[in-house]
Amino acid sequence: MDFKQLESEADKIIGRYEEKRAAMLPLLWLVQEKFGYIPPEGEQWVGERIGVSIAHVREVVSFYTLYHTKPIGKHHIQVCTTLPCLLKGAKRVLAQLEERLGIGAGQTTPDGKVTLSTVECLCACEAAPATQINERYVGPLTPETLNQVLDHVLKTPETHDWLVDSARAELVEARANVRPSTGSGRTEFQPYVSTEGPVLSKRFRSAEGAWFDAYAADGGYQAAKQALTSTPAQVIETVLKSNLRGLGGAGFPTGKKWGFIPKDNPKPKFLVVNADEGEPGTFKDRYILERDPHALIEGMIIAAYAIGSHKAYIYIRGEYVRPAQRFAKAMEEARGKGWIGKNIQGSGFDLEIVIHRGAGAYICGEETALLTSLEGGKGFPKLKPPFPAISGLFKCPTIVNNVETLACVPPIIRNGPEWFAKLGTAKQGGTRLFSLCGHVVRPGLYEAPVAVTLKDLIFDSRYAGGVRAGKKLKAVIPGGISAKILTAEEINVAMDFDSLMAAGTMAGSAGVIVMDETTCIVQALWSASHFFKDESCGQCSPCREGTGWVFKIMDRILKGQGRPHDLDALLSVAGNMEGKTICVFADAAAWPVQSYIQKFRSEFEHHIATGRCELAVRGELVEPRTDRHPSTNSG
Amino acid sequence: MPTLTIDGKQITVDPGTTVIQAAESMGIFVPRYCYHPGLSIAGNCRICLVEIEKAPKLQIACNTPVADGMVVRTNGQKVEQGRQSVLEFLLINHPLDCPVCDQSGECDLQNFYMQYGLYDPRFKEQKVKKTKAVPLGPTVMLDAERCILCSRCVRFTDEITKTGELGIFNRGDQSEIGLYPGKELNNKYSGNVVDVCPVGALTDRDFRFKARVWYLSSSPSVCNGCSQGCNIDIHYVTDRPHLAGGARVMRVKPRYNAEVNQWWICDEGRYGYHFIDQGRLRKVTHRGVETTWEKALMELAGALGRVKEENRQGQIGVIPSAQLTTEELFLIRKLFVDSLGISQCDARVPEKPGTSDDFLIKADKNPNTAGAVSAGLAGSSFDTPAVRPEPFGKLRAGFVEGRRPATQDERCTAAQIIDRCLAGQINVLWVFGHDLVKLFGEQTVKKLSQELELFVFQGSNENGSSRYAHWVLPSAVYAEKDGAFTNCHGLAQKFTKAFEPLKDSRADSQILTELFERLAAVGPEQAVHPSTGPAPDLIGGSG
């Protein structure tokens, strides 16, 4: 195997980082792009290039699901089997694929053409049931469209990428619904997406994205210009006044966070953008990256200026290929127009931006795990103290902000903090992008004031338009799969951080998963626990062991082998996981267990007593296969 | 300096101290698996949870820096419940195969379960299956099912040896310690991963299944493998001859010494103990015929006594060994040099320097070259190696030079003594420990055996010298005697006898003392009692 041809590219990659080791993930990507998988020689080469032992390279390769140590099929079909897709028929999709391909999940067809696997949430929940075929998201998959896709996959010569024909196949990514488009007479697929703003969705209209000229014409980069002529302290003050809070899920006041950067620390400061969107039920950041990337870039310029950073990293989840490409394109535009690089617009302020791709690990959305991953390690959350603002990326002061949070910043500067604050509550300003998925009429992405009620989001015709025909609402997860579940009676609640906390759940990432009466809550919890078991990084013992334990009990109950004490055991194990680990993943894994059982106990008891599910006959939510991802596990 | 309260007692500590360190300094033990004072903080096992006033959640003591006014509780219901649940998590996938586990009896899963666990098990599921009994290399065996993934071993190979062989692969409950496929754990300090492993995941292939640890006795000692003088504990069994073929020493473990070896020892030192029970000289022999100490000492005293006083200096050669204790070396000096007036007495032999590194392993494979120098038996300074900067901070400096007797001929090394033997100038040769065949070749030693009037070998193990010497006097090994070694940094370290000398062997000091009592009886007026004269210059010590 010849790695010489990769050397110059490797040098370029390594040169982007302050420490060589940080080039681990991109170099592994480079090898995998070249060879289709990561052979031992590739691990050796990467290790030598960055001065890391091969054992540590293998640690990383085996941690992330997107790296393969063995060749896989030319077409890799990854079926999302996390709750939002399960609710919409992921099991049917998988069965259809298995039947048509003659292989099970985790296997490759004998001709080496197709590899089939099941994966955790792709964050394409508006297009559920969704799959990822090689780099492309495809969904929603009806039996017919799935057959169309397979026709193309199977008939396409190996040298030809069927995706270039995707227009002919009338398959458009994130096809959440079908609307007749005006005039053309052709059927065009568009997901339901807010396009009216006022803060985040104004330029979401075109699926092709809003580029520099359109962004500039809409007042883009005015805020950055304004910020660069004021002081960093003034920018922070403005953001503080706006009551902008972290929209990745934690809800921490953004201005306050920026203020934590020590003024007297001589080390370089870093801005890191968390674009590792992974919370099941959430897909907002993907839209910003794809449709309005300049809003994010402008937000990054302002944030970097406010915290005194001249280097920003954006960590984009590995599955988000097109979002990363779109963002890269926007970066090139911005660079060409003098908004990235040295002496931005003659202000004397420099900013470099580096795109860093993830490789398949939900935990990397946790800000310190993201930093460890960015530094070239497994996505292990870091011990606190020290906190990232003091010692984060490369042990330097670091601010990690979510994509949506930063995209809010330019409008705040442009329209003033009072304008933004007024959109929200006394403690949380602005609007949010709410991801609506599951059993609603119109799954999609809706911008609404932060205090919109959950009821309105589900039932209002401006938003998801109600529960699907003829069915009654049963339960809602309001803030991504980690949030505690709410019953149909509990939806009259505002969606801001504080109101939902008061309601005993959380706003989280604003991913709203709606379940109608056909949903078996036991299976829903089985699915959630499967997700947390698969995604636990394995660092802290309560989480590593607890997530596996919970899943095993749930699996047994679902198989009709539940025991009378199982529910008490589940609650106790969940309680023991809470508050004892480095990060809050274990807490997030515990909350569904506690809330689903608390609110739907009789359903669990019935399952255990009878060994079967009354709803399984009617509902679509049935357990998927538990096969592991192919060829990523080391010996 | 912050003052905090732990379990109701106040303490003032340096800023930057962690809660676990502060507690330890007060004698309060906080349980730990991943925390090891010699390694970076991992914070993953979560067993060291403590309650800190005003903190909503339990905090890990290992990573929580102290703060002024902090109030810490290392016990109480909340802490005890937290610990218990962490233990339960650690044990659900553990195979609980204590009856066949070498770690049993010194396992922190067992220990902490008895102290902090004692719950009724309620895990009713299938345990995760992982690899078992995997040799990681020549010294270490892995049982991945017993592993609690504390990462101490990974941090050891990353931070101490910087060899990076070990990793934790996969994630979640599939996480598993291991090596890159096809690689092995074979560095000069591999055995330490067994020590740092708090459970039975990494066991010592050398010790595996030799003895249950509760049969072991322990004696503090100093490694004799090189001039670093790492502090060790000798683990031995003397009352179970059915174990390990009757060997007494079962294993050697490092003993913490901040200035010498911290928590570590090299594999050469760790596994170099077998000579204590194997290949030993058990009987006094004269030309291959077994005899008694009584006869041997009488005859040897007589033979020495017959050498005329004016001839002693030229006709007798003595080659002491830097493997001997400082006390023994001073005794040799007093008896042979000061009392008998022998000048051809030198421990410097033409040994090739051994392997060395910039950590613990020194090229000089003798534990007491400095002792030999201070006794005036090895020239004026260390020949090898140059004293390196101490890795562990300040040393107790103060090795005193210039105590050498004026009679010492500095140019007279062992090689010159042998040359003079071959030239017929020396006809009485007394060798301590050295294998002359290895040093000078079989032909030379054969010739010595034929031409010398008296050729005495006093040593603990069979070797080339014992094959050719006229007289073989079996002596004790370091584990069988009290004494001190002075290491290459000039630190004198005392150690004590672990057990009695094997069979007929005797401590060198006893052999020499008795020899000279007899020598005095047969006449030489210069003979002095061993307890008078210059004393070993012991500086400090940690035994």
Side-chain angles (χ1 to χ4, degrees):
Chain A
M1 280 172 175
D2 186 14
F3 291 93
K4 282 216 177 71
Q5 48 185 325
L6 301 182
E7 291 287 343
S8 65
E9 184 62 22
D11 287 337
K12 257 192 267 171
I13 291 170
I14 293 168
R16 289 178 202 145
Y17 296 91
E18 281 67 17
E19 288 177 7
K20 270 185 171 183
R21 188 181 170 137
M24 173 87 84
L25 268 61
L27 288 185
L28 289 171
W29 276 121
L30 184 67
V31 171
Q32 183 153 301
E33 274 156 25
K34 173 76 191 164
F35 299 102
Y37 71 110
I38 299 171
E41 296 85 347
E43 291 172 306
Q44 181 79 34
W45 178 76
V46 170
E48 283 165 7
R49 288 311 315 258
I50 58 176
V52 170
S53 82
I54 193 167
H56 292 314
V57 178
R58 174 54 69 86
E59 278 189 319
V60 169
V61 170
S62 70
F63 184 87
Y64 297 97
T65 58
L66 295 179
Y67 293 133
H68 310 296
T69 55
K70 296 189 185 84
I72 60 163
K74 175 161 173 62
H75 303 294
H76 187 194
I77 304 181
Q78 305 182 77
V79 182
C80 174
T81 55
T82 311
L83 186 58
C85 279
L86 270 192
L87 290 169
K88 302 296 286 287
K91 198 233 168 191
R92 166 181 53 74
V93 169
L94 185 62
Q96 192 180 341
L97 282 164
E98 288 180 333
E99 196 193 331
R100 175 99 187 254
L101 297 169
I103 53 171
Q107 294 178 330
T108 301
T109 52
D111 60 2
K113 202 162 179 182
V114 182
T115 295
L116 182 64
S117 26
T118 55
V119 291
E120 295 297 351
C121 194
L122 294 168
C123 286
C125 320
E126 82 280 31
T131 65
Q132 181 166 20
I133 303 180
N134 292 355
E135 298 183 339
R136 198 66 171 268
Y137 278 13
V138 182
L141 291 166
T142 62
E144 296 74 43
T145 52
L146 180 55
N147 267 331
Q148 279 183 327
V149 170
L150 280 176
D151 288 344
H152 278 270
V153 166
L154 296 172
K155 285 176 196 157
T156 307
E158 310 229 332
T159 51
H160 184 75
D161 184 352
W162 70 273
L163 287 165
V164 299
D165 273 350
S166 60
R168 207 179 63 202
E170 294 184 340
L171 288 164
V172 177
E173 179 185 346
R175 215 178 42 168
N177 222 309
V178 182
R179 284 178 188 167
S181 73
T182 48
S184 75
R186 225 161 49 75
T187 305
E188 204 173 275
F189 303 100
Q190 283 289 328
Y192 286 103
V193 175
S194 290
T195 55
E196 304 301 322
V199 181
L200 291 152
S201 62
K202 280 168 74 184
R203 286 165 300 275
F204 279 178
R205 189 172 303 277
S206 168
E208 299 309 310
W211 301 98
F212 188 87
D213 293 337
Y215 185 69
D218 203 21
Y221 289 105
Q222 292 303 315
K225 195 163 263 176
Q226 197 182 324
L228 290 174
T229 55
S230 47
T231 67
Q234 285 168 330
V235 175
I236 293 178
E237 186 58 29
T238 304
V239 173
L240 256 180
K241 275 194 203 152
S242 75
N243 290 339
L244 174 64
R245 287 169 67 173
L247 300 176
F252 195 83
T254 305
K256 197 169 169 191
K257 193 180 207 178
W258 292 0
F260 288 154
I261 286 285
K263 307 275 177 294
D264 50 356
N265 191 325
K267 287 182 172 178
K269 281 95 186 159
F270 293 106
L271 172 71
V272 175
V273 183
N274 186 344
D276 192 51
E277 186 163 61
E279 183 68 31
T282 315
F283 39 87
K284 62 194 177 68
D285 296 339
R286 178 159 49 83
Y287 279 88
I288 295 172
L289 290 167
E290 287 201 344
R291 300 198 175 188
D292 201 13
H294 283 286
L296 174 57
I297 293 175
E298 189 178 8
M300 289 170 73
I301 295 168
I302 298 167
Y305 178 73
I307 64 168
S309 165
H310 303 290
K311 181 80 168 276
Y313 287 94
I314 174 165
Y315 187 108
I316 304 177
R317 76 176 283 181
E319 292 85 346
Y320 277 7
V321 178
R322 199 172 75 180
Q325 288 165 347
R326 294 264 182 99
F327 185 81
K329 179 182 165 188
M331 263 176 63
E332 284 323 298
E333 282 190 321
R335 190 184 299 280
K337 302 284 184 185
W339 283 103
I340 296 175
K342 294 268 177 216
N343 190 18
I344 290 173
Q345 304 293 315
S347 66
F349 179 69
D350 306 335
L351 179 66
E352 265 314 314
I353 299 179
V354 172
I355 297 177
H356 187 92
R357 306 290 314 288
Y362 166 77
I363 191 60
C364 293
E366 195 279 342
E367 67 172 3
T368 58
L370 184 151
L371 296 177
T372 319
S373 177
L374 185 39
E375 289 165 346
K378 295 182 284 183
F380 274 14
K382 291 177 193 252
L383 287 169
K384 285 148 273 196
F387 291 89
I390 309 301
S391 176
L393 186 64
F394 309 126
K395 296 194 162 58
C396 296
T398 302
I399 293 295
V400 183
N401 280 141
N402 169 258
V403 169
E404 188 186 0
T405 312
L406 289 173
C408 286
V409 171
I412 289 172
I413 302 288
R414 204 160 51 233
N415 302 322
E418 296 79 11
W419 165 80
F420 188 83
K422 259 185 223 159
L423 293 169
T425 67
K427 286 185 176 171
Q428 183 186 359
T431 59
R432 278 192 94 165
L433 295 172
F434 292 93
S435 307
L436 269 290
C437 69
H439 296 146
V440 287
V441 175
R442 303 191 311 171
L445 188 67
Y446 300 100
E447 180 171 356
V450 294
V452 66
T453 65
L454 182 53
K455 189 176 180 180
D456 281 351
L457 280 176
I458 298 170
F459 288 101
D460 196 293
S461 59
R462 285 170 298 167
Y463 306 121
V467 174
R468 62 181 178 175
K471 300 286 190 267
K472 278 196 287 197
L473 179 66
K474 179 171 187 175
V476 192
I477 303 169
I481 207 154
S482 310
K484 290 191 175 180
I485 201 165
L486 296 174
T487 65
E489 291 72 45
E490 295 173 310
I491 58 168
N492 219 343
V493 58
M495 289 294 286
D496 61 282
F497 286 110
D498 308 295
S499 301
L500 280 173
M501 188 178 278
T505 180
M506 64 176 185
S509 61
V512 180
I513 306 170
V514 178
M515 292 176 254
D516 70 18
E517 57 187 323
T518 65
T519 309
C520 168
I521 292 295
V522 179
Q523 292 182 39
L525 182 55
W526 179 95
S527 169
S529 65
H530 185 278
F531 173 80
F532 287 109
K533 172 205 67 123
D534 256 20
E535 297 294 346
S536 168
C537 80
Q539 188 177 201
C540 302
S541 30
C543 177
R544 178 184 66 235
E545 306 296 337
T547 52
W549 191 356
V550 165
F551 173 72
K552 283 173 181 171
I553 297 176
M554 285 310 305
D555 198 43
R556 199 161 39 67
I557 293 175
L558 209 59
K559 284 176 177 152
Q561 294 156 9
R563 300 188 186 115
H565 297 300
D566 281 344
L567 295 184
D568 294 335
L570 281 169
L571 290 172
S572 164
V573 171
N576 286 344
M577 288 163 66
E578 257 187 303
K580 296 200 181 64
T581 47
I582 292 173
C583 77
V584 293
F585 181 99
D587 304 67
W591 294 330
V593 176
Q594 294 165 337
S595 62
Y596 293 26
I597 295 177
Q598 186 206 333
K599 293 182 181 174
F600 297 94
R601 187 163 184 127
S602 62
E603 206 168 312
F604 284 86
E605 284 168 347
H606 186 266
H607 249 274
I608 291 170
T610 63
R612 56 190 293 270
C613 178
E614 295 294 304
L615 292 161
V617 197
R618 288 183 288 145
E620 285 187 291
L621 179 57
V622 179
E623 61 176 299
R625 303 290 177 83
T626 52
D627 303 82
R628 298 280 301 171
H629 214 255
S631 76
T632 50
N633 295 330
S634 66
Chain B
M1 296 223 296
T3 297
L4 69 159
T5 307
I6 304 180
D7 294 347
K9 283 180 263 177
Q10 280 207 341
I11 184 169
T12 302
V13 292
D14 291 332
T17 307
T18 56
V19 169
I20 206 168
Q21 290 169 327
E24 196 138 311
S25 70
M26 302 165 76
I28 297 170
F29 179 79
V30 180
R32 76 285 304 266
Y33 291 112
C34 68
Y35 171 73
H36 187 289
L39 303 170
S40 63
I41 303 291
N44 60 38
C45 78
R46 318 304 290 179
I47 195 78
C48 70
L49 292 168
V50 294
E51 196 176 350
I52 293 173
E53 229 167 62
K54 290 180 195 137
K57 299 178 190 175
L58 295 173
Q59 301 291 316
I60 49 170
C62 68
N63 190 53
T64 304
V66 297
D68 201 42
M70 187 181 256
V71 179
V72 180
R73 283 176 63 84
T74 72
N75 47 37
Q77 203 210 334
K78 197 173 172 191
V79 172
E80 282 156 20
Q81 199 273 333
R83 263 180 208 159
Q84 195 183 47
S85 66
V86 170
L87 257 177
E88 186 180 27
F89 283 128
L90 287 170
L91 284 166
I92 60 168
N93 280 307
H94 187 83
L96 302 174
D97 56 347
C98 310
V100 295
C101 177
D102 248 16
Q103 189 81 3
S104 202
E106 55 180 3
C107 173
D108 281 341
L109 284 173
Q110 290 180 326
N111 295 342
F112 295 166
Y113 178 80
M114 296 310 291
Q115 282 178 273
Y116 314 111
L118 297 176
Y119 55 83
D120 290 327
R122 49 187 184 153
F123 182 76
K124 307 275 196 299
E125 321 305 321
Q126 280 282 329
K127 290 175 190 273
V128 177
K129 293 277 169 245
K130 292 181 186 170
T131 51
K132 295 179 82 71
V134 188
L136 293 184
T139 62
V140 181
M141 190 74 89
L142 165 71
D143 184 317
E145 290 184 349
R146 293 180 191 152
C147 176
I148 57 165
L149 298 157
C150 71
S151 80
R152 276 187 185 178
C153 57
V154 179
R155 282 174 282 147
F156 178 83
T157 51
D158 280 351
E159 297 163 13
I160 306 299
T161 60
K162 298 182 171 65
T163 45
E165 297 96 333
L166 290 166
I168 299 176
F169 306 109
N170 304 325
R171 70 188 190 200
D173 68 358
Q174 301 298 312
S175 302
E176 191 168 335
I177 289 271
L179 299 164
Y180 188 84
K183 301 273 181 187
E184 63 170 12
L185 176 67
N186 189 11
N187 65 55
K188 288 177 176 163
Y189 299 88
S190 327
N192 290 289
V193 300
V194 175
D195 302 338
V196 299
C197 181
V199 301
L202 299 177
T203 50
D204 197 322
R205 296 184 72 185
D206 178 74
F207 176 67
R208 223 165 117 82
F209 305 138
K210 277 204 318 207
R212 302 303 331 213
V213 297
W214 49 85
Y215 293 144
L216 302 179
S217 301
S218 178
S219 181
S221 193
V222 173
C223 179
N224 74 331
C226 81
S227 58
Q228 178 71 16
C230 294
N231 291 202
I232 55 171
D233 283 318
I234 297 175
H235 289 180
Y236 63 96
V237 174
T238 51
D239 56 354
R240 286 192 156 66
H242 55 285
L243 296 177
R248 297 164 299 169
V249 179
M250 294 292 162
R251 65 180 183 184
V252 162
K253 287 281 190 185
R255 180 164 49 92
Y256 177 75
N257 184 320
E259 294 169 10
V260 180
N261 56 304
Q262 294 186 315
W263 300 267
W264 326 116
I265 50 170
C266 71
D267 285 359
E268 216 177 305
R270 182 187 301 266
Y271 302 114
Y273 67 86
H274 292 281
F275 79 97
I276 294 174
D277 288 302
Q278 290 170 11
R280 286 293 298 275
L281 296 169
R282 291 157 182 255
K283 297 288 176 197
V284 185
T285 58
H286 178 227
R287 295 192 183 273
V289 180
E290 192 178 322
T291 181
T292 64
W293 278 110
E294 192 54 34
K295 273 188 194 164
L297 293 169
M298 281 303 291
E299 292 203 24
L300 288 168
L304 285 175
R306 281 194 294 279
V307 182
K308 287 202 178 85
E309 196 187 334
E310 61 272 25
N311 291 337
R312 283 185 205 140
Q313 179 155 351
Q315 289 183 1
I316 302 179
V318 178
I319 306 179
S321 165
Q323 290 281 334
L324 297 172
T325 67
T326 303
E327 293 84 345
E328 288 162 346
L329 289 160
F330 268 80
L331 199 56
I332 290 170
R333 145 87 186 285
K334 273 189 261 180
L335 300 179
F336 287 102
V337 180
D338 299 347
S339 169
L340 291 178
I342 295 164
S343 65
Q344 300 172 122
C345 179
D346 199 295
R348 286 173 294 174
V349 293
E351 268 171 334
K352 276 188 214 141
T355 54
S356 65
D357 61 21
D358 56 5
F359 186 40
L360 298 178
I361 301 173
K362 297 293 177 279
D364 178 4
K365 297 304 172 194
N366 293 303
N368 203 17
T369 297
V373 171
S374 70
L377 300 176
S380 60
S381 63
F382 307 111
D383 289 342
T384 55
V387 179
R388 292 175 182 280
E390 229 339 86
F392 307 133
K394 69 174 169 58
L395 260 182
R396 288 181 226 176
F399 166 67
V400 183
E401 286 189 23
R403 286 274 198 107
R404 288 169 295 112
T407 54
Q408 178 68 26
D409 176 0
E410 290 204 24
R411 285 160 304 169
C412 177
T413 62
Q416 289 163 320
I417 292 171
I418 298 299
D419 284 346
R420 290 175 195 176
C421 290
L422 294 172
Q425 293 163 356
I426 292 176
N427 49 36
V428 173
L429 178 64
W430 200 295
V431 176
F432 289 86
H434 297 290
D435 186 343
L436 296 183
V437 170
K438 269 195 195 149
L439 294 168
F440 300 103
E442 184 125 22
Q443 287 312 312
T444 302
V445 185
K446 213 171 189 172
K447 209 168 163 212
L448 291 176
S449 182
Q450 288 158 359
E451 295 183 2
L452 286 169
E453 278 178 26
L454 183 64
F455 180 7
V456 181
F457 175 69
Q458 179 173 335
S460 60
N461 288 66
E462 294 163 2
N463 63 18
S465 306
S466 72
R467 283 205 301 280
Y468 287 103
H470 306 158
W471 286 89
V472 173
L473 307 180
S475 64
V477 299
Y478 74 103
E480 295 165 336
K481 58 198 182 188
D482 297 328
F485 292 146
T486 300
N487 77 357
C488 59
H489 305 293
L491 181 72
Q493 306 188 93
K494 287 188 228 165
F495 55 89
T496 53
K497 177 159 84 176
F499 37 74
E500 292 302 318
L502 189 68
K503 296 288 178 190
D504 287 354
S505 63
R506 291 180 177 181
D508 294 88
S509 55
Q510 187 192 349
I511 298 168
L512 293 171
T513 307
E514 291 186 14
L515 175 74
F516 275 78
E517 278 167 6
R518 281 166 180 78
L519 196 55
V522 296
E525 57 280 13
Q526 294 88 346
V528 291
H529 195 272
S531 63
T532 64
D537 184 22
L538 294 183
I539 312 131
S542 58

